[in-house]
């Protein structure tokens, strides 16, 4: 029997996010030599999804996030220390060999050191600095650079915002693990629709898609705009979704827009439509762009960071100017009206992501780093 190493994954999100999907795909890459323990916020809805992926060892803890409320921020440090003691118990009970912190804003690995536990950890950086106050972001980075065995940035673009250090490694997010992922028979019937697959979060660019689509609906009257995503159980996201629906009404395109919640079957979503859109204002990587090309669906994405490391403009997709709805509308009209172009970028997209984001270049690189952390 293989003596498996115990790897603890610290995940701070309260729902199934791209970051969680990414680390799960990485864990699935090598379950033979490692046993994975996931630690989630108590209010997270991701536990059931993790079990569906085959991970049954899940622990929970109470969390409190930094916010504009001074009362909540006052409670942040006590909660952090309480959770550190709980986590210390979990680590000792399960003889944890290594910790993977799935994003830098989770300071539990730092708190563990304050209470005397010195397990090595690897810290992912998945968000660009503009998602947080820059002083806070830089403070988190410095803390993790001092304490972590390694820092993993998910793109070269993101790594450019980090201090130069031998601890910083660029490891891209990995390809989906689903079987029978691609069908190069491009005569398969697809709906004349643009897919927007993203949780309903401000900054993800949904409103730009609506505005751009409204400019061209009279030229492609049979096309629709299909939104698929979750609200993560947060009122602010629910309110944003209602604002988006109201915007579709004011733009006179409500009857051409479809709204759906979170789905586990992303492969079906990508394969049912002609084109995928991602007009996010900033992207450290873009798992949806990678997935879409892998599942054979052409992509139009804003040139907002990470997508430019996946998409070569005009070859395997289209890049448009960030926040520019005219540029977006022109690209949507171009790709909607040219089936031969869609076929060409479809074929090229699948080929390039297979070559550039293969397992040995993504998950494999992380596991080499794990071996170093466990043996040095």
């Amino acid at each position: 029997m293989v003596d498996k190493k115990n790897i603890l994954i610290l995940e701070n999100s309260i729902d199934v996010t791209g970051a969680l999907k990414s680390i799960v795909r990485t864990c699935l890459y090598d379950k033979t030599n490692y046993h994975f323990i996931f630690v989630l916020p108590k209010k997270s809805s991701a536990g059931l999804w993790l079990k569906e992926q085959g991970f049954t060892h899940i622990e929970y803890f109470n969390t409190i996030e930094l916010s504009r409320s001074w009362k909540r921020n006052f409670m942040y440090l006590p909660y952090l220390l309480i959770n550190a003691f709980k986590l210390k118990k979990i680590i000792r009970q399960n003889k944890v060999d290594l910790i993977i912190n799935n994003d830098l804003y989770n300071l539990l690995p730092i708190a563990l050191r304050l209470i005397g536990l010195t397990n090595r950890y690897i810290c992912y950086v998945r968000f660009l600095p503009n998602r947080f106050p820059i002083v806070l972001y830089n403070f988190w980075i410095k803390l993790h650079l001092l304490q972590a065995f390694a820092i993993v940035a998910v793109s070269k673009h993101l790594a450019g915002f980090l201090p130069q250090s031998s601890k910083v490694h660029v490891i891209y997010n990995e390809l989906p693990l689903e079987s029978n992922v691609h069908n190069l028979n491009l005569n398969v019937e697809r709906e004349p629709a643009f897919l927007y697959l993203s949780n309903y979060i401000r900054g993800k660019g949904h409103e730009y898609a609506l505005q751009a689509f409204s400019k061209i609906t009279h030229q492609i009257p049979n096309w629709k705009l299909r939104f698929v995503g979750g609200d993560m159980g947060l009122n602010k996201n629910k309110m944003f979704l209602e604002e988006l629906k109201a915007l579709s009404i004011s733009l006179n395109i409500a009857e051409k827009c479809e709204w759906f919640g979170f789905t586990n079957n992303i492969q079906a979503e990508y394969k049912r439509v002609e084109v995928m859109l991602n007009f996010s204002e900033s992207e450290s990587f873009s798992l949806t762009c990678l997935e879409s090309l892998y599942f054979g669906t052409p992509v139009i994405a804003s040139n907002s960071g990470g997508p430019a490391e996946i998409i070569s403009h005009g070859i395997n997709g289209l890049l448009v100017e960030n926040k520019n709805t005219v540029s977006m509308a022109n690209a949507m009209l171009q790709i909607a009206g040219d089936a031969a172009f869609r076929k060409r970028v479809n074929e090229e997209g699948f080929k390039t992501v297979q070559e550039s984001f293969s397992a040995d270049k993504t998950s494999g690189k992380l596991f080499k780093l794990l071996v170093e952390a466990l043996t040095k």
Side-chain angles (χ1 to χ4, degrees):
M1 178 178 289
V2 176
D3 183 19
K4 292 186 177 183
K5 296 291 186 180
N6 295 312
I7 309 295
L8 186 141
I9 311 292
L10 279 175
E11 174 57 54
N12 218 42
S13 64
I14 60 171
D15 207 340
V16 180
T17 61
L20 181 59
K21 285 168 60 178
S22 174
I23 198 64
V24 164
R25 288 174 180 174
T26 294
C27 293
L28 289 169
Y29 175 78
D30 192 353
K31 292 179 69 176
T32 303
N33 298 307
Y34 301 93
H35 171 69
F36 296 99
I37 303 160
F38 282 82
V39 178
L40 304 175
K42 186 167 287 185
K43 57 183 177 179
S44 175
S45 61
L48 179 60
W49 181 80
L50 280 172
K51 290 178 180 178
E52 291 173 352
Q53 310 310 308
F55 298 98
T56 57
H57 195 159
I58 304 169
E59 305 279 354
Y60 295 90
F61 59 92
N62 288 311
T63 59
I64 187 166
E65 296 180 0
L66 293 171
S67 69
R68 295 180 180 178
S69 168
W70 69 267
K71 291 182 180 180
R72 286 176 62 84
N73 292 342
F74 181 77
M75 293 300 297
Y76 180 79
L77 185 57
Y79 263 86
L80 187 64
L81 291 174
I82 290 169
N83 285 329
F85 280 105
K86 290 181 179 178
L87 188 58
K88 181 179 180 180
K89 183 178 180 181
I90 293 171
I91 288 170
R92 288 186 167 173
Q93 285 178 340
N94 294 282
K95 299 179 180 179
V96 169
D97 297 292
L98 184 69
I99 298 169
I100 296 178
N101 190 32
N102 206 28
D103 220 314
L104 82 160
Y105 59 84
N106 191 337
L107 297 183
L108 270 172
I110 305 297
L112 287 173
R113 275 147 175 75
L114 294 177
I115 62 173
L117 204 66
T118 58
N119 288 64
R120 281 183 170 179
Y121 75 96
I122 292 172
C123 183
Y124 266 90
V125 181
R126 298 185 183 273
F127 290 108
L128 293 167
N130 59 0
R131 293 286 296 273
F132 306 96
I134 190 63
V135 173
L136 195 58
Y137 187 91
N138 289 337
F139 177 66
W140 288 337
I141 290 293
K142 289 177 181 178
L143 282 178
H144 289 303
L145 275 173
L146 284 171
Q147 300 295 337
F149 176 80
I151 304 290
V152 175
V154 295
S155 69
K156 294 176 183 177
H157 178 73
L158 178 54
F161 292 95
L162 307 182
Q164 289 189 349
S165 170
S166 60
K167 286 187 175 183
V168 176
H169 303 259
V170 175
I171 302 177
Y172 288 124
N173 288 329
E174 55 296 303
L175 294 172
L177 296 173
E178 290 88 342
S179 60
N180 301 318
V181 295
H182 190 71
N183 189 338
L184 285 177
N185 179 4
L186 299 178
N187 295 318
V188 170
E189 189 71 23
R190 287 176 180 250
E191 296 178 14
F194 299 100
L195 172 66
Y196 212 97
L197 183 63
S198 173
N199 288 330
Y200 300 107
I201 302 172
R202 293 186 191 277
K204 288 293 187 179
H206 301 77
E207 66 272 36
Y208 301 126
L210 288 167
Q211 292 163 4
F213 186 56
S214 70
K215 298 177 188 297
I216 59 173
T217 52
H218 63 287
Q219 294 172 271
I220 47 171
N222 61 325
W223 280 66
K224 291 188 175 182
L225 181 55
R226 179 181 177 87
F227 293 95
V228 179
D231 57 30
M232 304 176 71
L234 299 176
N235 287 331
K236 62 181 180 180
N237 295 342
K238 294 175 182 178
M239 291 174 60
F240 181 54
L241 173 57
E242 293 307 311
E243 290 176 23
L244 292 172
K245 290 180 178 179
L247 178 60
S248 73
I249 294 172
S250 68
L251 292 171
N252 296 315
I253 56 172
E255 74 283 357
K256 295 180 179 292
C257 296
E258 300 175 335
W259 307 91
F260 297 91
F262 173 81
T263 179
N264 279 326
N265 194 353
I266 59 167
Q267 181 177 167
E269 289 298 332
Y270 287 120
K271 286 189 168 184
R272 74 182 297 158
V273 300
E274 290 282 6
V275 183
M276 206 281 291
L277 306 176
N278 184 333
F279 297 150
S280 179
E281 294 178 13
S282 66
E283 285 282 1
S284 55
F285 181 69
S286 182
L287 203 59
T288 55
C289 289
L290 182 70
E291 290 172 343
S292 187
L293 295 184
Y294 192 56
F295 289 125
T297 305
V299 177
I300 306 172
S302 53
N303 194 353
S304 56
E309 294 178 45
I310 303 169
I311 298 170
S312 298
H313 180 68
I315 298 174
N316 66 355
L318 293 175
L319 290 171
V320 296
E321 186 179 340
N322 198 7
K323 303 181 185 180
N324 187 326
T325 56
V326 173
S327 175
M328 295 167 185
N330 289 338
M332 291 165 71
L333 195 59
Q334 174 190 348
I335 205 166
D338 192 340
F341 178 71
R342 292 200 301 272
K343 178 180 178 179
R344 186 166 67 253
V345 297
N346 183 337
E347 293 172 336
E348 190 63 32
F350 181 66
K351 183 174 70 175
T352 55
V353 296
Q354 281 279 72
E355 293 172 352
S356 301
F357 301 94
S358 58
D360 62 315
K361 294 180 180 179
T362 54
S363 300
K365 287 181 68 174
L366 178 65
F367 277 94
K368 288 180 181 178
L369 200 56
L370 262 62
V371 171
E372 288 183 29
L374 290 166
T375 56
K376 281 189 176 179

